[in-house]
């Protein structure tokens, strides 16, 4: 019954996406852009939630996966000179997004492997380094436009694409976390040794979390590239990774609705604060500090406190 | 059922287990007793693959399980209820039990086994939807044993089930261990510091001292042994 309910929810939201998509011309360009960013950030934050919140692997390199997805899909669509609107363009765009996602998950595998040996802050630093390596590599690759950026990406992403993918991801995460297989992630996060002792392969699940999270981050990158039509390495810097982590932490690690709420809030907030110009980021930062002081477990905290990720293990060996 | 030959386990340069050999026969309760730091828990961890053996061989039902990854050893039928009641603090009691059946697919049988755990540990049923971390020490120990039952092990390894639990609960838990052995036919290898209690329920016992076996025999004989009475049962 419950499973059917989530399927119905998915169907309804997909139809809603299509309907709103038809009406997107009536929405002002500025607001429309914010709405799209909310969708993309929801995908990014939710996919990171799988790695950080569910599997408990503190990763700071999500922008790196996003960049890989953005560049991979952009190369495909730009070299094919796709014209937005033709039916074939949607098909190829799907393929390009998937290719971007797969490429990102391949790198997710590469990062997932060190995560088997590293914990807490060490893993955070390693993944942070990974994100920066990706950015610097792209900056030095001439065929990707290097620091000039990559322009001429066709504007293929629209409301439907972004929100349909967000809905699918949320559906996927929801069902995953209510399945025995998915609860294995939570078990690994709570106690790795106990998880191993009950027959869960922590090694495997950690890598699966990285690969899956990176896949959706890559798709989000592809959507982003095909919405802004111009990408350059500085868009995928460490600050972007950090923004995504903040969304997960503020929303509550391991909480699906919390992270969505945080993605909406933290996308809208900087825009809403534009009125106060130069004090904008000060207020933004202060709000974050207040939220963390009042609710260290996040807005919708699933009871997991951010502090425990940086606690030293007391386990013997 | 389980045969260990010359097992040696090291933590860095320190040898915690120095070449022990033991045998656990099917259907029995076998206990491994010894003082703090004798290497009892390390031996158990070695059996379930959580620490690697440097030398030696661990055979389970004629299969070599030495240094296999832990989940493969669980699949083979050897499951541990770890020391310190390592339950999943953010998962509910029920979810903790379900995690025990992670490798099983038979939904109906799993539900029946969960009901069985609730009949032997009725306290857990009252706490079915509470997160594991909110349970008392004794309840967490019951949950750890219950979780091990859910894997339907042929051999259950119990690591210090009496650790940090109210004495009255300890007795209940040990009675339940006997029940599990009788009703499910699960073979049990029990590691305990409370030698008196362990010997009272076990069929056979091994005494471990600084990583080496110093004595073995029928539990009743060991309990009557002068040396053991002095060293572990608090007699002068």
């Amino acid at each position: 019954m419950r499973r059917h309910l989530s399927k119905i929810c998915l169907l309804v939201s997909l139809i809603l996406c299509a309907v709103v998509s038809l009406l997107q011309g009536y929405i002002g360009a500025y607001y429309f852009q914010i709405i799209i960013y909310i969708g993309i950030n929801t995908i990014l934050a939710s996919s990171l939630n799988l790695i950080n919140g569910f599997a408990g692997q503190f990763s700071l390199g999500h922008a790196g996966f996003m960049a890989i997805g953005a560049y991979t899909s952009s190369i495909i669509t730009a070299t094919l000179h796709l014209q937005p609107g033709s039916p074939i363009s949607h098909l190829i765009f799907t393929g390009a997004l998937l290719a971007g996602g797969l490429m990102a998950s391949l790198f997710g595998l590469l990062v997932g492997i060190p995560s088997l040996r590293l914990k807490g802050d060490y893993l955070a630093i390693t993944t942070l380094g990974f994100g920066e390596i990706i950015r610097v590599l792209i900056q030095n690759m001439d065929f990707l436009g290097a620091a000039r950026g990559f322009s001429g990406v066709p504007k293929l992403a629209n409301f439907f694409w972004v929100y349909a993918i967000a809905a699918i991801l949320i559906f996927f995460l929801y069902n995953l976390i209510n399945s025995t297989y998915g609860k294995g992630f939570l078990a690994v996060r709570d106690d790795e040794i106990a998880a191993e002792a009950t027959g869960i392969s922590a090694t495997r699940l950690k890598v699966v979390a990285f690969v899956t999270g990176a896949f959706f981050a890559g798709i989000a990158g592809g959507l982003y590239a095909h919405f802004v039509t111009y990408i350059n390495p500085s868009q995928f810097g460490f600050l972007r990774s950090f923004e995504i982590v903040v969304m997960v932490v503020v929303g509550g690690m391991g909480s699906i609705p919390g992270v969505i709420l945080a993605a909406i809030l933290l996308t809208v907030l900087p825009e809403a604060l534009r009125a106060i110009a130069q004090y904008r980021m000060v207020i933004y930062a202060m709000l974050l500090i207040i939220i963390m002081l009042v609710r260290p477990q996040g807005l919708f905290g699933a009871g997991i406190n951010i502090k425990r990720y940086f606690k030293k293990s007391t386990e013997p060996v | 059922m389980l045969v260990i030959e010359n097992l040696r386990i090291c933590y860095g340069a320190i040898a915690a287990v120095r070449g022990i050999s033991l045998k656990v026969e099917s259907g029995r309760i076998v206990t491994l007793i010894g003082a703090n730091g004798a290497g009892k828990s390390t031996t158990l961890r070695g059996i379930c693959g959580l620490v690697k053996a440097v030398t030696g061989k661990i055979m389970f039902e004629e299969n070599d399980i030495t240094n296999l990854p832990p989940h493969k050893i669980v699949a083979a039928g050897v499951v541990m209820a770890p020391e310190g009641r390592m339950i999943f603090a953010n998962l509910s009691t029920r979810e903790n039990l379900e995690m025990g059946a992670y490798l099983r697919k038979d939904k109906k049988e799993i539900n029946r086994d969960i009901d069985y755990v609730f009949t032997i540990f009725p306290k857990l049923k009252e706490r079915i939807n509470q997160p594991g971390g909110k349970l008392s020490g004794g309840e967490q120990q019951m949950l750890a044993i219950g979780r091990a039952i859910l894997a339907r092990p042929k051999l259950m390894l119990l690591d210090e089930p009496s650790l940090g639990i109210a004495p009255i609960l300890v007795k209940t838990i040990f009675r339940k261990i006997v029940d599990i052995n009788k009703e499910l036919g699960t073979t049990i290898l029990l590691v305990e510091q409370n030698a008196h209690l362990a010997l009272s329920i076990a069929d056979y016992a091994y005494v471990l001292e600084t990583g080496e076996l110093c004595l073995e025999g029928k539990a009743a004989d060991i309990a009557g042994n002068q040396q053991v009475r002095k060293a572990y049962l608090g007699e002068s």
Side-chain angles (χ1 to χ4, degrees):
Chain A
M1 182 64 208
R2 216 171 159 191
R3 184 175 296 167
H4 286 303
L5 190 70
S6 74
K7 273 181 194 150
I8 293 164
C9 282
L10 177 68
L11 202 69
V12 170
S13 38
L14 287 181
I15 294 168
L16 266 177
C17 288
V19 172
V20 178
S21 195
L22 292 174
L23 302 171
Q24 71 181 42
Y26 296 101
I27 307 168
Y30 171 64
Y31 294 105
F32 184 63
Q33 182 187 327
I34 296 174
I35 291 171
I36 293 292
Y37 285 167
I38 288 175
I40 292 173
N41 283 339
T42 302
I43 301 172
L44 285 168
S46 298
S47 61
L48 184 67
N49 193 22
L50 175 64
I51 305 174
N52 280 24
F54 295 159
Q57 306 302 304
F58 207 96
S59 165
L60 280 177
H62 226 48
F65 299 131
M66 190 190 173
I68 292 163
Y71 274 92
T72 309
S73 57
S74 298
I75 292 168
I76 296 172
T77 54
T79 46
L80 290 175
H81 296 291
L82 280 187
Q83 288 309 310
S86 65
I88 188 99
S89 73
H90 288 295
L91 206 67
I92 293 175
F93 183 44
T94 315
L97 284 179
L98 282 175
L102 288 176
M103 188 61 104
S105 56
L106 189 73
F107 280 84
L109 185 70
L110 285 178
V111 187
I113 290 166
S115 82
L116 306 175
R117 305 192 63 91
L118 299 168
K119 283 185 172 56
D121 23 15
Y122 301 103
L123 179 64
I125 292 165
T126 310
T127 49
L128 180 76
F130 158 79
E132 283 302 284
I133 289 169
I134 295 297
R135 189 181 63 80
V136 172
L137 279 180
I138 294 173
Q139 211 156 51
N140 288 293
M141 284 182 179
D142 226 29
F143 74 102
L144 292 178
R148 292 187 308 279
F150 191 93
S151 54
V153 186
K155 190 162 183 140
L156 290 164
N158 56 21
F159 184 90
F160 177 76
W161 277 108
V162 172
Y163 279 85
I165 290 170
I168 291 168
L169 170 61
I170 291 159
F171 169 79
F172 167 75
L173 286 179
Y174 177 82
N175 280 296
L176 180 69
I177 228 58
N178 283 306
S179 72
T180 306
Y181 182 81
K183 278 181 192 144
F185 290 110
L186 308 179
V188 169
R189 177 195 67 194
D190 276 3
D191 196 320
E192 217 178 300
I193 294 173
E196 289 273 357
T198 50
I200 299 166
S201 170
T203 312
R204 201 192 135 104
L205 281 187
K206 282 190 206 168
V207 173
V208 166
F210 263 102
V211 168
T212 319
F215 177 76
F216 281 101
I219 287 186
L223 289 168
Y224 175 76
H226 289 84
F227 180 73
V228 297
T229 71
Y230 164 76
I231 47 176
N232 76 60
S234 65
Q235 289 162 334
F236 306 105
F238 132 84
L239 271 177
R240 172 56 69 98
S241 287
F242 219 73
E243 265 173 29
I244 307 166
V245 171
V246 167
M247 284 171 194
V248 175
V249 174
V250 166
M253 297 217 206
S255 160
I256 297 173
V259 167
I260 298 170
L261 181 73
I264 298 170
L265 206 67
L266 296 182
T267 314
V268 172
L269 204 60
E271 297 300 329
L273 292 173
R274 261 182 209 284
I276 47 173
Q278 69 267 41
Y279 301 111
R280 183 164 77 111
M281 288 329 271
V282 179
I283 306 272
Y284 177 79
M286 264 173 52
L287 279 172
L288 287 182
I289 293 169
I290 291 169
I291 292 174
M292 280 298 94
L293 282 177
V294 181
R295 287 193 69 79
Q297 72 275 48
L299 295 172
F300 269 62
I304 299 111
N305 197 314
I306 168 103
K307 285 176 198 152
R308 67 181 285 272
Y309 286 83
F310 296 99
K311 224 165 47 185
K312 290 285 174 289
S313 172
T314 49
E315 269 302 306
V317 189
Chain B
M1 179 175 240
L2 180 80
V3 181
I4 298 179
E5 278 165 24
N6 197 26
L7 179 70
R8 187 179 168 86
I9 298 171
C10 300
Y11 291 124
I14 302 150
V17 174
R18 309 174 184 183
I20 67 167
S21 301
L22 57 83
K23 232 186 230 173
V24 177
E25 275 175 47
S26 182
R28 299 285 173 82
I29 298 181
V30 175
T31 185
L32 194 58
I33 56 176
N36 237 341
K40 310 183 297 291
S41 296
T42 307
T43 308
L44 280 201
R45 288 173 168 233
I47 297 171
C48 45
L50 291 171
V51 292
K52 296 272 170 265
V54 181
T55 56
K57 209 172 180 188
I58 304 167
M59 303 287 289
F60 180 68
E61 292 184 321
E62 269 86 62
N63 297 314
D64 191 349
I65 58 164
T66 323
N67 293 344
L68 280 183
H71 62 274
K72 293 225 167 109
I73 294 174
V74 173
V78 182
V79 176
M80 177 167 80
E83 179 187 26
R85 313 180 290 275
M86 292 180 187
I87 46 101
F88 306 121
N90 291 300
L91 296 185
S92 72
T93 297
R94 198 191 164 83
E95 285 169 333
N96 263 282
L97 292 173
E98 283 169 355
M99 282 299 107
Y102 194 77
L103 297 176
R104 290 170 59 186
K105 299 274 173 280
D106 44 345
K107 200 84 190 147
K108 255 192 197 150
E109 291 288 299
I110 291 171
N111 282 329
R112 199 182 325 160
D113 287 356
I114 289 178
D115 287 340
Y116 174 75
V117 171
F118 288 153
T119 55
I120 61 167
F121 298 127
K123 274 245 167 95
L124 290 181
K125 194 166 187 180
E126 295 165 21
R127 304 249 180 188
I128 183 161
N129 289 319
Q130 287 192 28
K134 294 268 180 353
L135 268 55
S136 76
E139 288 162 348
Q140 289 188 358
Q141 184 59 60
M142 294 175 193
L143 185 54
I145 296 173
R147 193 178 59 193
I149 291 176
L150 259 291
R152 285 231 173 145
K154 293 172 193 154
L155 172 64
M156 193 190 285
L157 311 174
L158 295 171
D159 197 358
E160 305 264 12
S162 75
L163 198 77
I165 293 174
I168 186 156
L169 263 180
V170 171
K171 279 205 178 126
T172 317
I173 287 174
F174 272 70
R175 248 199 329 271
K176 299 301 178 183
I177 294 172
V178 177
D179 289 350
I180 294 164
N181 173 251
K182 292 263 163 7
E183 289 166 17
L184 300 179
T186 311
T187 311
I188 287 169
L189 177 55
L190 168 70
V191 153
E192 245 319 318
Q193 268 192 61
N194 188 335
H196 187 72
L197 208 54
L199 291 172
S200 72
I201 66 162
D203 301 304
Y204 202 81
Y206 290 90
V207 183
L208 205 58
E209 215 173 78
T210 54
E212 282 165 79
L213 284 175
C214 62
L215 204 63
E216 67 175 280
K218 286 201 173 113
D221 297 343
I222 297 282
N225 183 299
Q226 277 306 318
Q227 211 186 323
V228 174
R229 292 184 85 87
K230 264 192 194 156
Y232 304 109
L233 302 180
E235 284 186 12
S236 53

